Amino acid sequence: MTQRIDYASAAPEGYKAFGNVYGYLLKTDLPTELIDLVYLRVSQINGCAFCIDMHSRDLLKLGIAVERLVMVPVWRDAGELFSSRQRAALAWAESVTRVCETGIPDDDYVEATAEFNDKELTDLTYAIGLMNAFNRFGVAFRSSPDAVNRA
């Protein structure tokens, strides 16, 4: 199926509001690579082709090695390929994204707070929430990934 509606054009003020959150996140102390890794993992869980394509490209532009990029879905089995901070962010992203299944247990929270202070964890959770919202737009309205458009 082709793209359904262009949600950014249909409701530009709503899109701008989400963009403001994105802009805020760019100004936080969280490294861009960490945020993009989280965006990618959330998008993989949610099956958003547009976002998977976009964030994979973003990470490649930041210089992440392809060997690391392809290991994101199985980061738990990738040993030290990801730092302890990145692993904590990916674990938190998975727990928050799958909130219906996980209920975000205390153990997940404790692990996240071992690596992130209160502001960082709040900002990380904003990033996870933002990407979950964008994934829902992308899947609901069948946004076409650039990879498909270039083929």
Side-chain angles (χ1 to χ4, degrees):
M1 175 178 236
T2 58
Q3 182 171 332
R4 295 177 178 176
I5 63 173
D6 179 352
Y7 61 90
S9 296
E13 289 301 312
Y15 184 74
K16 183 179 176 183
F18 281 99
N20 287 337
V21 175
Y22 178 80
Y24 165 78
L25 291 167
L26 292 174
K27 296 184 248 175
T28 69
D29 291 335
L30 295 174
T32 303
E33 182 179 307
L34 181 107
I35 292 174
D36 282 339
L37 280 170
V38 164
Y39 286 164
L40 177 59
R41 184 64 191 125
V42 169
S43 299
Q44 290 169 338
I45 292 167
N46 290 323
C48 182
F50 179 85
C51 294
I52 291 168
D53 179 63
M54 179 173 59
H55 298 298
S56 294
R57 291 174 190 279
D58 289 345
L59 285 161
L60 289 169
K61 287 177 193 169
L62 287 174
I64 189 173
V66 172
E67 294 80 9
R68 285 184 65 219
L69 183 67
V70 300
M71 295 302 284
V72 171
V74 292
W75 64 269
R76 290 181 193 272
D77 298 320
E80 299 299 315
L81 200 56
F82 297 98
S83 70
S84 61
R85 197 164 159 85
Q86 290 169 333
R87 290 191 306 271
L90 291 166
W92 185 246
E94 288 182 359
S95 189
V96 172
T97 297
R98 294 180 170 137
V99 65
C100 185
E101 300 164 24
T102 69
I104 311 175
D106 289 343
D107 288 349
D108 291 358
Y109 176 76
V110 169
E111 284 181 36
T113 59
E115 290 289 338
F116 299 99
N117 66 36
D118 290 355
K119 182 175 183 323
E120 290 171 331
L121 187 58
T122 300
D123 288 340
L124 182 61
T125 308
Y126 285 146
I128 294 163
L130 177 68
M131 192 46 47
N132 272 285
F134 273 125
N135 290 165
R136 276 136 183 87
F137 296 134
V139 174
F141 300 124
R142 304 290 192 263
S143 300
S144 296
D146 285 342
V148 170
N149 296 331
R150 290 185 178 136

